[in-house]
Amino acid sequence: MLNITCGESNVACLANETVLDALLKANIPIPYGCRQGVCQSCLMRSLDVTPPVAAQIGIKDTLQKQNYFLACCCHPEQDMTVSLPDQQDTWFEASVIQKQQLSPEIIRLTLQYNAELSFFAGQFVNLQRLDGLTRSYSIANSSRHEKILEFHIRRLPNGQFSSWAHDELQPGTTLTLTEARGSCHYLPGRAQQPLLLIGTGSGLAPLYGIIHDALAQGHAGSIHLYHGSRNSEGLYLIDEMQELAKQYANFNYTASVSGACATETGFAQGRAHELALNAVQSLKGWRVYLCGHPEMVNQSKRMAYIKGASLGDIYADAFLTLPH
Amino acid sequence: MSETLETTNLTLFEQLGGAAAVDAAVDIFYRKVLADYRINRFFDNVDMEKQAAKQKAFLTMAFGGPHNYTGEDMRKGHERLVKMGLDDSHFDAVMEHLEATLQELNVPGALIAQVAAIAESTRTDVLGR
Ligand SMILES: Cc1cc2nc3c(=O)[nH]c(=O)nc-3n(C[C@H](O)[C@H](O)[C@H](O)COP(=O)(O)OP(=O)(O)OC[C@H]3O[C@@H](n4cnc5c(N)ncnc54)[C@H](O)[C@@H]3O)c2cc1C
Ligand code: HEM
């Protein structure tokens, strides 16, 4: 008989029981549906041990790596501490050590922290201001950098957090952060797979991190980055990306503007996702990353899928703003 | 091959390969549906992950797997679509994609026929008649 810890509860799991059986028997409400690993309603996360292989079949590889598993398929092999996704909120503090203007619309914030934090570039954290105002931002640097987090924040007209970050936030300020979340990040393995990355505006932030991660881990397949914005104010790190494309033969970079005045700017003309998706015949076998404007993300997801990318190979973060 | 199929005690769902078969089929099936201009408007404005999960529910049901849907659920679930004009031609298109998907996965014809029969049995409920 094994022990399952979930929040405050300790539950016995009998030999033929799943984690789901054991928790439900103890009246711990866990959402579930098919009870056979199809619907994924009972997705949970192990906070200590690696879950049994059979309990991770069918879930996204990035989530597997973070020890997510399906409770209905989990016959535990040892004691486990588990939680429902996002239930284990722990906050930590980080202080702003640098603020840099990357374009008229976008700043780079660099934060330093002391906590033990594990993350992948491209995941996001929730940043909280002293008064409680909270917004999600994507991590643009890889975790090989010591105790540092880098964010790219785009100013939205009258946006509460972003305007404050642009106009008032000063180095030395302390912010509160959640741990890293989301499955939009690079995973090693399948190093020959071609990668297509499409971002609009500050959607470059996670992609920037993912690309550096991929290159540092020796990704050998071709990597195609399309960064777009309505006007050139939304594009940034252009020189650095061009430099990277010179340095790595398998990295290709296209910056585009979709607004009317594109011709004068020297950038490609058109919407990033349309340029990107028209440039390839088939995306069968590709890995696709989509970040930024929610409408762009959703359209591209569908187009990429129809072009042959499998859903499990499409990683996306729509930069949803809160409803008003 | 057909002999072992006829004498087996396995359920249709098990013969098809269970949850793993649903996973393999959903990718092919959903792509066909989304790429088909005759029916893809019904799938506009839905979240793809959620929709893929619903497609899995659809396939699990058609594969004779365990599910909790009643005829009434099928009616309610497609009511919105019937208001948008869902009719026999759209139902036929979905049947076409279902069968083509299974053929692509080299499922034996006898099993495909059983799957088609299950799907066909939901026609009146799905179309709200
Ligand atoms: C997973 C994820 C990752 C993200 N990563 C990033 C990132 O890396 N970089 C980044 O820049 N952003 C990112 N975002 C977006 C970010 O979380 C914020 O939503 C964004 O910065 C806007 O916040 P805000 O407080 O400035 O604007 P809000 O105050 O929330 O306002 C949002 C918009 O609505 C408008 N608005 C405000 N009030 C009203 C009203 N009453 N009526 C009508 N319109 C109104 C504002 O003008 C503004 O344009 C991410 C979002 C998600 C979900
Ligand atoms: C062949 C028989 C069919 C079966 C067995 C079937 C089954 C299902 C199931 C199980 C769901 C999920 C319900 C839920 O959990 O919410 C669903 C949803 C859906 N089905 Fe069908 N379906 C059939 C035909 C069709 C057809 C012909 C169309 C349109 C061309 C269609 C379009 C949809 C859409 C768009 C949804 C999502 C509805 C929503 O989210 O609002 N289905 N179907």
Side-chain angles (χ1 to χ4, degrees), chain B residues 29 33 38-44 46 50-51 53-59 61-62 67 69 73-74 76-78 80-81 86-95 98 116 118-123 126-127:
Chain B
F29 174 70
V33 167
R38 295 174 297 176
I39 52 175
N40 58 14
R41 70 186 174 93
F42 294 108
F43 297 85
D44 278 346
V46 289
K50 287 206 189 106
Q51 191 58 42
K54 289 187 176 176
Q55 299 289 332
K56 277 193 183 182
F58 164 84
L59 290 170
M61 191 174 172
H67 68 87
Y69 293 110
D73 293 335
M74 283 297 97
K76 286 219 187 77
H78 297 87
R80 184 176 68 83
L81 311 174
L86 189 73
D87 66 21
D88 281 306
S89 71
H90 307 119
F91 193 96
D92 293 343
V94 166
M95 291 294 291
L98 180 60
I118 294 176
E120 186 58 49
S121 74
T122 66
R123 187 184 289 258
V126 166
L127 297 180

Side-chain angles (χ1 to χ4, degrees), chain A residues 33-34 36-40 57-58 60 298 301-312 314, chain B residues 13 19 22-23 26-28 30-31 34-35 40-41 43-45 47-49 52 56 60 66 68:
Chain A
C34 71
Q36 50 159 10
V38 183
C39 74
Q40 304 199 358
I57 290 175
K60 247 194 157 81
N298 286 335
K301 220 189 230 186
R302 190 163 168 158
M303 287 161 71
Y305 181 71
I306 292 173
K307 279 223 163 187
S310 67
L311 265 190
I314 303 178
Chain B
F13 189 58
V22 172
D23 277 343
V26 75
D27 209 46
I28 301 173
Y30 188 29
R31 189 172 289 115
L34 281 187
N40 58 14
R41 70 186 174 93
F43 297 85
D44 278 346
N45 306 320
D47 177 89
M48 280 194 60
E49 257 84 33
K56 277 193 183 182
T60 305
N68 295 317

Side-chain angles (χ1 to χ4, degrees), chain A residues 15-298:
Chain A
N16 55 358
E17 283 182 332
T18 63
V19 169
L20 181 65
D21 296 330
L23 294 173
L24 291 179
K25 207 174 59 183
N27 291 321
I28 299 172
I30 305 294
Y32 68 94
C34 71
R35 297 192 93 142
Q36 50 159 10
V38 183
C39 74
Q40 304 199 358
S41 303
C42 62
L43 186 71
M44 296 190 77
R45 187 176 185 186
S46 166
L47 301 180
D48 46 15
V49 299
T50 306
V53 177
Q56 291 194 308
I57 290 175
I59 65 178
K60 247 194 157 81
D61 52 4
T62 46
L63 292 179
Q64 288 180 359
K65 187 102 184 230
Q66 295 169 52
N67 286 343
Y68 280 89
F69 67 95
L70 300 176
C72 72
C73 296
C74 185
H75 291 279
E77 290 154 354
Q78 49 196 314
D79 289 353
M80 292 178 91
T81 306
V82 300
S83 79
L84 287 170
D86 291 348
Q87 190 184 284
Q88 72 290 4
D89 250 354
T90 49
W91 294 81
F92 65 95
E93 294 195 329
S95 62
V96 178
I97 56 169
Q98 204 188 20
K99 176 171 158 181
Q100 183 190 359
Q101 199 77 36
L102 293 175
S103 88
E105 282 182 6
I106 292 173
I107 51 166
R108 172 194 267 154
L109 275 192
T110 311
L111 274 67
Q112 192 163 36
Y113 60 92
N114 288 316
E116 281 311 313
L117 173 67
S118 66
F119 67 89
F120 297 98
Q123 283 191 293
F124 64 92
V125 297
N126 293 328
L127 293 187
Q128 189 175 68
R129 196 167 75 177
L130 203 60
D131 66 355
L133 184 73
T134 308
R135 295 287 184 271
S136 308
Y137 293 98
S138 308
I139 304 171
N141 65 298
S142 92
S143 53
R144 285 182 309 280
H145 299 271
E146 271 301 296
K147 303 266 179 192
I148 276 181
L149 292 171
E150 174 187 327
F151 303 99
H152 304 164
I153 300 183
R154 175 162 183 217
R155 180 200 289 276
L156 288 192
N158 303 317
Q160 285 189 70
F161 197 103
S162 62
S163 299
W164 171 75
H166 275 255
D167 299 335
E168 294 170 48
L169 179 59
Q170 293 300 330
T173 308
T174 298
L175 294 171
T176 310
L177 280 66
T178 52
E179 36 187 275
R181 306 198 169 135
S183 57
C184 188
H185 60 78
Y186 182 75
L187 274 182
R190 299 188 294 168
Q192 300 297 334
Q193 196 176 24
L195 308 184
L196 176 62
L197 306 99
I198 309 174
T200 51
S202 50
L204 179 62
L207 303 182
Y208 179 88
I210 288 164
I211 288 164
H212 280 97
D213 232 8
L215 291 172
Q217 302 198 45
H219 192 86
S222 60
I223 302 175
H224 304 265
L225 169 67
Y226 287 80
H227 184 210
S229 182
R230 222 154 59 79
N231 50 40
S232 56
E233 321 256 280
L235 297 176
Y236 60 99
L237 295 176
I238 299 159
D239 295 342
E240 194 180 323
M241 286 295 127
Q242 285 172 344
E243 208 43 53
L244 203 63
K246 278 189 206 140
Q247 202 182 332
Y248 291 91
N250 62 334
F251 175 63
N252 305 280
Y253 168 59
T254 306
S256 67
V257 286
S258 58
C261 56
T263 38
E264 298 141 42
T265 60
F267 298 114
Q269 161 84 62
R271 290 161 180 253
H273 69 289
E274 287 169 2
L275 293 172
L277 290 158
N278 286 335
V280 280
Q281 268 297 312
S282 159
L283 287 173
K284 200 169 163 60
W286 286 57
R287 211 186 307 179
V288 181
Y289 293 92
L290 308 167
C291 299
H293 199 287
E295 211 166 296
M296 179 286 286
V297 167
N298 286 335

